[in-house]
Amino acid sequence: MPEETMNDFKDEIDRSFRKIKEGDILEGTVIDVKDTEVVLDLKYYTQGIIKAEDLSDDPKFSIHRDIAVGDEISATVVSTDDGKGNILLSKKEANQVLAWDKLKELMDNETYVDVKVSEAVKAGCVAFLEGIRGFIPASKLDLNYVEEADIPNFVGKTLKVKVINVDRDNNKLVLSAREFLREEADKKRAEMISNVQVGLVTEGVVESIQNYGVFVNLGNGMTGLVHISQICNQRIAHPSAVLKVGQKVKVKVTQIKDGKLSLSMKALEEIAATEITEEKIEFESDGEATTSLADILKKAGF
């Protein structure tokens, strides 16, 4: 085995004699976790100490649950001598310096992260991310606006959120869970639509009325458009002339493109004068498959 020389320990020696001053951010490895403090190996001639109150701003923080021997921690030098020859550090202060850069990076990259809701406040919830107190508005907790009386139901839940606003100067961090939920709903909707076939006749409810047509809710989060030209054989100036929101209608799927459903009521008038009924089995009638959308999705596993 080759004999070790001073050069082999040059980095360690340089680190042990480097000049440390208050305000510096140091990295260390946790070597002991006590009830009131954490001890760090700083690769220095003395150890680093972080008092429990200087570890986190999170009221739910637990020194034994959230810190473990072997963890790597960045902390700011509060004092080069705590009176016992150790370097006194603060993880909270380091968080303030480092966390905002990390949060800005998360926002720029549109990264999803998991946070645990710790508190319900007026108009939203509080969750900590990178040690910084973040606010989740009620409108961003779910796909639909959450009423104030229901906000406490989110406390203790883990949400997948996106950082949507970082304001370091005013110490404001805003998070949103809605984007992830929207993406997941869109994926599920696209998967369900892939099980729908052109020619399907089903029932839905008029969800909204526009100048160019009406949107019909088919259930299971799926909505399709009945263009004004496809509402009836008669020429109408506006969809509201024959339809109203909440009205049940039968429609035929005429096109599926880019995950969107085109529907027609007019086509049903052209099939036959006999009443169209929904059956629980699939069959052919004048080339038209007639069944309920719920049955199709049930067979597909939804």
Side-chain angles (χ1 to χ4, degrees):
M1 182 175 180
E3 186 176 347
E4 293 176 325
T5 66
M6 290 295 288
N7 285 332
D8 296 318
F9 300 99
K10 185 176 186 303
D11 289 342
E12 286 82 355
I13 294 172
D14 288 344
R15 282 197 295 268
S16 68
F17 284 99
R18 70 191 187 278
K19 185 67 175 177
I20 290 178
K21 60 183 183 300
E22 292 181 8
D24 286 350
I25 295 179
L26 306 180
E27 289 188 4
T29 303
V30 176
I31 57 176
D32 193 12
V33 180
K34 303 177 182 180
D35 292 339
T36 58
E37 64 185 28
V38 169
V39 183
L40 300 184
D41 177 9
L42 302 173
K43 299 292 191 293
Y44 198 57
Y45 71 85
T46 188
Q47 297 174 332
I49 301 293
I50 307 177
K51 298 295 184 182
E53 60 269 22
D54 292 321
L55 282 166
S56 176
D57 284 317
D58 189 343
K60 303 294 185 181
F61 174 82
S62 168
I63 191 169
H64 289 290
R65 183 190 66 218
D66 298 323
I67 301 290
V69 171
D71 286 354
E72 296 292 329
I73 290 180
S74 295
T76 300
V77 176
V78 176
S79 173
T80 55
D81 190 342
D82 67 347
K84 300 178 181 178
N86 300 306
I87 296 174
L88 189 62
L89 304 164
S90 171
K91 186 175 184 294
K92 288 200 299 189
E93 288 192 22
N95 284 344
Q96 294 296 321
V97 177
L98 300 174
W100 290 105
D101 290 338
K102 176 64 175 178
L103 294 171
K104 181 66 164 56
E105 181 183 338
L106 290 173
M107 182 176 70
D108 291 343
N109 294 333
E110 298 187 344
T111 305
Y112 288 116
V113 290
D114 290 330
V115 297
K116 188 172 184 179
V117 177
S118 60
E119 181 185 0
V121 294
K122 186 176 181 180
C125 287
V126 170
F128 284 80
L129 180 58
E130 297 295 322
I132 302 297
R133 186 180 189 274
F135 176 63
I136 310 175
S139 60
K140 300 294 184 180
L141 281 168
D142 206 343
L143 288 177
N144 300 311
Y145 182 85
V146 177
E147 297 296 334
E148 190 166 349
D150 297 324
I151 292 176
N153 296 334
F154 287 83
V155 175
K157 289 186 177 180
T158 297
L159 304 179
K160 194 170 288 293
V161 301
K162 182 181 287 186
V163 178
I164 59 173
N165 187 34
V166 173
D167 186 350
R168 181 174 182 173
D169 293 337
N170 293 302
N171 200 36
K172 291 183 179 179
L173 170 65
V174 182
L175 311 172
S176 173
R178 189 175 185 181
E179 283 73 12
F180 178 76
L181 295 174
R182 172 60 64 192
E183 287 187 16
E184 290 299 296
D186 288 345
K187 288 178 184 177
K188 184 176 181 180
R189 178 177 177 275
E191 189 176 350
M192 288 190 293
I193 286 177
S194 70
N195 287 281
V196 177
Q197 294 183 345
V198 171
L200 169 73
V201 175
T202 190
E203 191 176 75
V205 177
V206 176
E207 190 172 69
S208 68
I209 298 177
Q210 310 296 328
N211 292 333
Y212 51 85
V214 299
F215 286 96
V216 176
N217 187 339
L218 304 177
N220 295 287
M222 286 191 288
T223 299
L225 172 66
V226 181
H227 189 268
I228 188 171
S229 64
Q230 294 299 312
I231 291 177
C232 60
N233 282 313
Q234 297 177 334
R235 190 180 184 90
I236 56 176
H238 194 274
S240 61
V242 293
L243 295 172
K244 61 182 180 180
V245 173
Q247 182 176 341
K248 287 186 177 181
V249 294
K250 276 194 170 67
V251 294
K252 174 185 175 182
V253 178
T254 56
Q255 186 181 46
I256 302 172
K257 185 177 181 181
D258 299 328
K260 297 179 180 179
L261 298 175
S262 294
L263 310 174
S264 175
M265 295 169 59
K266 176 181 173 180
L268 298 182
E269 296 181 7
E270 301 170 351
I271 295 177
T274 56
E275 182 180 0
I276 300 171
T277 59
E278 294 183 358
E279 302 292 337
K280 292 186 178 180
I281 59 173
E282 296 184 32
F283 66 95
E284 294 293 319
S285 174
D286 293 333
E288 299 296 335
T290 306
T291 187
S292 71
L293 186 57
D295 287 340
I296 289 178
L297 297 178
K298 185 176 180 181
K299 292 176 182 179
F302 292 97

